[in-house]
Amino acid sequence: GSDEYARASLPLLHDAGLPAAELDLAEAARRFPQVRFDGIRSVFVEKEAGFLAARRGCRVVAEALAAEGGEYRQLAVRPGALEGGRMGRLELSDGSHLEADAYVFACGPWLGRVFPDAVGGKIRPTRQEVFYFGTPAGDPSYSEGRFPVWFEFGELVHYGIPGNDHRGFKWADDTRREETDPTSMDRTPTPERLEAARRHLSHRFPGLAGAPVVESRVCQYENSPDGHLFIDRHPEARNAWIVGGGSGHGYKFGPALGEHVAGVVLGETEPLARFALGREAMPPPVTLPAGVTAL
């Protein structure tokens, strides 16, 4: 497919001091014999790229918060009453309440449900299936250190992660799938998506043809109309902030996003118009493959 997205990223990576370069197909095939490169037009490698262990990272953040005197509570929440341009105390599912000077709601795919009027259809949760395949016994060529995290841009967008805490060879389809309810959806993978994964795996990674599924999961993306984030005040409460719209790529922005949101809430940073709830949908900076909003 189009390599415009990758080419447009190269100068940005270079300016950030991250080495990235294009490989000719012969060199790519020599370096990564696990891959069948037929139909591939161009190959790019970012030498320092990797993956983030999101679940582990969230645990570390919760532990750091507690170590600094904060409190982590796992409960359902109902936004407070709106009166005089402010939000009142929050009602929690254990019958208690929470009252604070400011509230930040970062509710992911549930944002539209928590705020049906202020957000509503601006967040579209989609159902995304992920599979982990067992690699050949005794063959380390698909493990971390021997094989990179990969993306393939074509009519669809596929990506994968080798190793990944010994879960196997991760395969995922980044194409936005059917809209779903993140609370009630069945998180059992479908035979149709598994068959599609097997077809692509067998074609692009022949050594994994027939590989067993060792783990699978169904998650969701919290898609905004243009793939850009929402960071804005609640339109009727100056002490409540809404943060979301990660569109499948929000976690990696966590440190920068947290710093920016903290600055905005404390009045030390101006909110950015590009992340306003009421903005008109903006096009992504380059033309992306079908099914992809932003990465």
Side-chain angles (χ1 to χ4, degrees):
S2 170
D3 61 9
E4 183 183 359
Y5 179 81
R7 290 193 185 280
S9 299
L10 292 179
L12 304 177
L13 293 168
H14 180 267
D15 290 347
L18 299 172
E22 182 173 5
L23 298 181
D24 65 50
L25 290 177
E27 173 62 15
R30 184 195 68 78
R31 191 178 298 189
F32 305 114
Q34 307 93 321
V35 183
R36 178 186 286 151
F37 284 97
D38 65 307
I40 296 295
R41 188 164 75 180
S42 50
V43 178
F44 302 86
V45 173
E46 182 189 343
K47 295 180 180 179
E48 299 299 324
F51 64 89
L52 296 172
R55 185 174 302 186
R56 189 189 314 163
C58 288
R59 286 199 301 264
V60 170
V61 169
E63 291 164 2
L65 173 71
E68 294 194 21
E71 183 183 4
Y72 170 76
R73 302 173 71 183
Q74 185 172 336
L75 295 165
V77 61
R78 181 179 293 109
L82 303 176
E83 186 176 350
R86 294 182 61 82
M87 180 177 290
R89 71 182 193 181
L90 312 184
E91 302 299 325
L92 305 180
S93 55
D94 65 354
S96 66
H97 65 270
L98 176 67
E99 192 162 2
D101 296 322
Y103 305 104
V104 178
F105 293 89
C107 308
W110 287 271
L111 262 178
R113 171 174 287 190
V114 174
F115 296 105
D117 296 328
V119 179
K122 290 184 173 72
I123 292 291
R124 177 176 171 262
T126 54
R127 189 179 193 277
Q128 309 292 145
E129 298 188 20
V130 178
F131 299 95
Y132 297 82
F133 292 91
T135 56
D139 181 359
S141 60
Y142 297 95
S143 61
E144 296 171 37
R146 299 285 189 94
F147 197 77
V149 174
W150 58 273
F151 270 90
E152 180 180 344
F153 292 95
E155 182 180 349
L156 303 176
V157 179
H158 302 111
Y159 73 93
I161 299 174
N164 194 11
D165 285 338
H166 306 285
R167 287 192 172 97
F169 189 88
K170 178 179 178 177
W171 182 98
D173 179 355
D174 199 56
T175 310
R176 275 43 173 179
R177 293 295 169 181
E178 66 271 22
E179 195 163 349
T180 189
D181 181 338
T183 299
S184 62
M185 75 171 177
D186 183 352
R187 295 175 184 265
T188 307
T190 61
E192 294 78 14
R193 299 311 309 150
L194 175 57
E195 178 57 30
R198 288 195 181 282
R199 284 197 304 271
H200 180 263
L201 202 71
S202 298
H203 174 74
R204 190 59 67 205
F205 309 103
L208 296 179
V213 175
V214 294
E215 189 174 329
S216 60
R217 62 186 56 180
V218 177
C219 61
Q220 64 279 315
Y221 287 171
E222 40 156 333
N223 302 291
S224 68
D226 54 12
H228 294 287
L229 295 161
F230 289 124
I231 305 172
D232 203 357
R233 289 184 195 270
H234 189 290
E236 299 180 56
R238 60 183 178 272
N239 64 331
W241 293 84
I242 293 172
V243 179
S247 302
H249 62 104
Y251 181 78
K252 64 175 174 279
F253 297 129
L257 182 59
E259 184 176 13
H260 176 68
V261 171
V264 167
V265 173
L266 295 173
E268 300 169 353
T269 304
E270 288 296 315
L272 300 174
R274 75 184 71 169
F275 298 145
L277 278 169
R279 69 175 183 260
E280 293 186 10
M282 300 180 295
V286 296
T287 301
L288 298 178
V292 177
T293 52
L295 295 172

